[in-house]
């Protein structure tokens, strides 16, 4: 079985070691190199040709956004997940515009980072659930600026032609930035059932991941932007 090759770039050695220990438990993953600054990313990428780069957004000499811009310019196929302590929507928007496919908070649990790598390695995008909610907030802020006034959302049209009532509820909670676990607690269903609903939503909407589902739902007016 071919393993997913990963590079970790972060100036905090203890954090790198912690992430590496998590990834070493996955038989399908292999951490092929580590770096401690964004200035090292291009050379590491060209030497090890990884499938995914995990990179801190804040580093002393060259930050993750600058490094992503340089790497994507030279290697547009590079798949980068940004690691950050910042959940502000403006940080996320900047990182994604630069070319990152994922944005994870450093408070992430092991399951989340594993899922993010699996999604991004096949070309999907992945945002930490808390970040998704704040990105929606950034969407509101930009919309208010564009319209020079209060953001007004048209009447919500729930997509009952496409999704079941329960799937519509799950889609709204995804937009609110809730994780599978908290969605299960909110709807009084198991986390496994939530995962099944999410998989069904993605298939029916014709999207690859949760982030694309949320963006599409907002554009179509299927969810409330809170």
């Amino acid at each position: 079985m071919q393993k997913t090759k990963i590079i970790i770039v972060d100036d905090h050695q203890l954090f790198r070691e912690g992430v590496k220990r998590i990834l070493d438990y996955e038989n399908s993953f292999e951490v092929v190199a580590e770096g401690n600054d964004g200035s090292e990313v291009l050379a590491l990428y060209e030497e090890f040709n990884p499938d995914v780069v995990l990179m801190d957004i804040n580093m002393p000499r060259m930050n993750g956004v600058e490094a992503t811009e340089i790497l994507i310019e030279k290697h547009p196929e590079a798949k980068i997940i940004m690691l950050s302590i910042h959940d502000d929507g403006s940080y996320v928007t900047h990182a994604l515009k630069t070319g990152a496919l994922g944005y994870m908070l450093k408070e992430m649990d092991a399951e989340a980072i594993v899922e993010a790598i699996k999604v991004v390695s096949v070309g999907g995008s992945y945002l930490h659930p808390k970040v998704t909610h704040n990105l929606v907030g950034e969407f509101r802020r930009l919309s208010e600026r564009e319209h020079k006034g209060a953001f007004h959302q048209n009447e919500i049209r729930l997509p009952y032609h496409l999704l079941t009532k329960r799937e519509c509820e799950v889609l709204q909670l995804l937009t609110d930035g809730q994780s599978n676990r908290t969605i299960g607690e909110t709807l009084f269903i198991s986390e496994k059932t939530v995962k099944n609903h999410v998989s069904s939503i993605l298939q029916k909407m014709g999207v690859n991941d949760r982030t694309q589902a949320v963006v599409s739902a907002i554009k179509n007016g299927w969810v409330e932007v809170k």
Side-chain angles (χ1 to χ4, degrees), residues 32-220:
V32 293
E34 298 178 45
N36 59 24
D37 190 74
S39 58
E40 302 174 26
V41 171
L42 183 59
L44 288 173
Y45 189 91
E46 292 181 341
E47 179 177 356
F48 294 96
N49 190 29
D51 299 296
V52 176
V53 177
L54 299 179
M55 183 154 52
D56 186 15
I57 198 169
N58 288 324
M59 290 178 284
R61 292 189 295 277
M62 180 182 289
N63 67 46
V65 173
E66 293 171 324
T68 295
E69 192 169 12
I70 291 171
L71 182 56
I72 292 294
E73 184 177 356
K74 191 83 178 288
H75 299 279
E77 76 285 358
K79 299 179 177 69
I80 301 162
I81 298 175
M82 205 68 75
L83 305 173
S84 177
I85 60 171
H86 303 290
D87 60 9
D88 186 89
S90 60
Y91 276 88
V92 185
T93 301
H94 195 184
L96 297 180
K97 282 183 177 178
T98 306
L101 292 178
Y103 193 102
M104 298 294 296
L105 298 181
K106 288 191 171 184
E107 63 189 50
M108 63 198 170
D109 56 28
E111 182 181 3
I113 188 62
V114 168
E115 182 180 0
I117 292 171
K118 288 180 177 178
V119 169
V120 169
S121 68
V122 295
S125 55
Y126 192 97
L127 302 181
H128 191 286
K130 187 176 179 182
V131 167
T132 302
H133 178 67
N134 290 344
L135 189 61
V136 171
E138 180 71 1
F139 171 83
R140 283 183 63 113
R141 187 182 67 79
L142 293 175
S143 296
E144 288 171 2
R145 178 189 297 175
E146 181 180 344
H147 294 95
K148 303 293 190 291
F151 172 76
H152 175 72
Q153 185 177 19
N154 293 328
E155 183 180 355
I156 303 301
R157 296 172 289 103
L158 294 176
Y160 289 138
H161 64 288
L162 184 66
L163 307 177
T164 66
K165 181 180 178 181
R166 178 63 88 190
E167 288 167 351
C168 288
E169 293 172 339
V170 172
L171 182 59
Q172 178 63 61
L173 293 172
L174 287 177
T175 305
D176 294 342
Q178 294 198 26
S179 65
N180 288 348
R181 182 177 305 169
T182 54
I183 290 174
E185 292 170 354
T186 300
L187 298 178
F188 301 102
I189 57 179
S190 71
E191 192 171 348
K192 183 176 184 296
T193 300
V194 175
K195 289 180 179 180
N196 290 338
H197 283 314
V198 172
S199 295
S200 178
I201 290 168
L202 300 185
Q203 182 179 11
K204 290 179 178 180
M205 291 181 67
V207 295
N208 295 322
D209 53 66
R210 301 157 65 110
T211 306
Q212 291 179 7
V214 169
V215 171
S216 179
I218 292 172
K219 288 180 178 178
N220 284 293

